[in-house]
Amino acid sequence: MNYQWYPGHMTKARRAMQEDIKLIDLIIELVDARIPQSSRNPDIDELGRNKARLVLLNKSDLADPACNRAWTAWFQEKGIKALEINAQTGQGLKAIQGAVQEVCKEKIERDRRRGILNRPVRAMVAGIPNVGKSTFINSFAGKACTKTGNKPGVTKGKQWIRLNKGLELLDTPGILWPKFEDQSVGMKLAFIGSMNDEIIIMDELAIDLIAYLQEWYPSLLQERYSLAGGETPVQVLEAAAEKRKCYKKGGEPDLSRAAQLVTDDFRSGRLGRISLERPGTGNV
C-alpha cells in the first residue's frame, strides 16, 4: 500500500514559520511518544537551530515506558530537553515551566545583564496535525490565559497568550507537517490514526501492524485475542473476529471489521503500552 499525506500547502507553512521564528525565544515541539521520529516536524532542526528547544513526548501513556525513557535520553544526547506528557489529562504539564526556565537560562541571564528584568520567555508550539498541539495549548494555558494583543512589529493577526509572568505562547495556526519519501513514515502515521482512514486499506494496515506486534509485543496480542502463539497475521485477524463475534452472513469471520477492531485496540491503548520506534533502530 502506498501512503501519501498532504493536508495543506508545504511552502506556505514553511514561510510562515520562518517569519514567526524571528519573534520567539523557544520552540516547544510536540511529537507522538509512540513514533517520536516519524511525527517530528521535518524542518524544525534547521529553522530552529539558534533557538532554545523543548520536545514534549505527548500521549506518553500509550507508549512503552522503557521506550519513553530511551527517547528522553536520546533527545538529551542531542542537546534537546524532552519531557513525557499527556496533554489530555494534564499529566507532566507541571514540569514544563521549570524546563522552560532551564533551557532558556542563557537568554534569561543575557536579559538580566542588559538590565531587562521579568521579560517573559516567548515560545512557539510546533507539531504536525493530530499530534495534540491544540489540546496541549488549551490544557497548559487553562482558563487563566489572556491574549495580550498584537505587539509592535508583529504581523497583524498573530496573538500572544500570556500563560504567566514568565511565559508567553505565540498563537499561530499549525506550522509544519511531513512530506515523506520513506513509506514506513506514512505507515506509522497511519497506524496511530494521523492519516484519514478512508484513504487507507484497513485490512492491509492491520496485517502490517500485527506483523510488527508479533515481533515486539507478542504477549500483548496473545493475551488480548486468546492466541497460542505462532499464528500468521491473517490467523490473528480470524481470532480477533472470533473473540469479538465479527461474522459475515453464513458465519464466516469478517476480517475487515476485525482489522478495524485490532487497529482501534492499538490506537486506544487497549492492547497495552506500545511504541513503534526505538532510538538507533531505524524504522519498524
Side-chain angles (χ1 to χ4, degrees):
M1 180 165 45
N2 187 43
Y3 298 94
Q4 290 300 333
W5 187 43
Y6 301 99
H9 193 280
M10 290 289 294
T11 305
K12 182 179 178 181
R14 197 177 196 280
R15 191 182 304 125
M17 185 172 192
Q18 284 176 316
E19 288 300 314
D20 294 339
I21 211 152
K22 301 171 187 175
L23 311 171
I24 56 99
D25 308 302
L26 167 68
I27 297 174
I28 299 175
E29 182 183 5
L30 261 74
V31 300
D32 190 300
R34 295 167 293 180
I35 53 169
Q37 199 67 281
S38 294
S39 61
R40 293 193 73 197
N41 288 301
D43 294 332
I44 201 82
D45 288 332
E46 179 191 346
L47 293 175
R49 60 183 178 273
N50 296 320
K51 301 295 180 178
R53 301 283 298 282
L54 176 61
V55 167
L56 302 180
L57 297 166
N58 193 28
K59 304 179 184 178
S60 61
D61 58 308
L62 298 176
D64 187 326
C67 288
N68 285 342
R69 292 190 294 271
W71 278 111
T72 300
W74 184 86
F75 280 111
Q76 197 73 46
E77 289 174 6
K78 303 286 184 184
I80 301 173
K81 178 77 173 177
L83 297 174
E84 300 174 32
I85 69 161
N86 179 347
Q88 202 152 27
T89 65
Q91 176 190 345
L93 298 190
K94 289 182 179 179
I96 293 175
Q97 188 66 48
V100 167
Q101 296 297 307
E102 178 185 335
V103 299
C104 293
K105 185 178 179 181
E106 288 184 16
K107 175 262 174 196
I108 294 169
E109 291 180 350
R110 189 166 59 248
D111 281 352
R112 189 177 292 118
R113 287 195 299 270
R114 293 172 177 172
I116 304 171
L117 303 177
N118 302 320
R119 176 184 174 276
V121 171
R122 294 173 182 171
M124 171 193 290
V125 180
I128 66 172
N130 302 314
V131 80
K133 187 163 65 75
S134 296
T135 303
F136 163 71
I137 291 173
N138 292 336
S139 184
F140 189 44
K143 294 181 181 178
C145 71
T146 57
K147 290 192 175 182
T148 59
N150 295 334
K151 293 184 178 293
V154 179
T155 305
K156 186 177 180 181
K158 292 185 176 67
Q159 294 285 337
W160 292 89
I161 300 174
R162 175 164 289 208
L163 301 182
N164 51 54
K165 291 181 180 180
L167 182 61
E168 290 181 354
L169 292 184
L170 179 58
D171 183 17
T172 60
I175 294 169
L176 283 177
W177 40 82
K179 177 182 178 181
F180 40 83
E181 305 297 333
D182 187 345
Q183 282 295 293
S184 68
V185 173
M187 181 175 68
K188 285 177 279 189
L189 287 166
F191 282 162
I192 67 171
S194 284
M195 295 177 67
N196 187 346
D197 283 349
E198 292 179 5
I199 65 171
I200 300 296
I201 302 171
M202 293 305 295
D203 297 36
E204 292 185 20
L205 184 72
I207 293 287
D208 288 338
L209 177 60
I210 289 167
Y212 173 79
L213 296 175
Q214 286 179 318
E215 179 179 357
W216 291 95
Y217 299 96
S219 62
L220 295 182
L221 276 177
Q222 291 164 20
E223 183 178 343
R224 182 70 179 172
Y225 305 118
S226 304
L227 305 173
E231 292 87 354
T232 66
V234 172
Q235 288 172 332
V236 173
L237 284 181
E238 291 172 345
E242 181 75 27
K243 180 91 170 174
R244 303 290 286 276
K245 310 299 182 191
C246 298
Y247 301 113
K248 297 178 181 178
K249 287 182 180 179
E252 286 186 37
D254 189 335
L255 298 189
S256 292
R257 278 185 64 198
Q260 188 67 63
L261 287 169
V262 171
T263 305
D264 288 345
D265 280 348
F266 160 71
R267 290 174 179 173
S268 66
R270 287 188 292 269
L271 262 176
R273 298 181 64 172
I274 293 167
S275 291
L276 302 176
E277 293 179 333
R278 287 159 176 75
T281 60
N283 297 313
V284 301

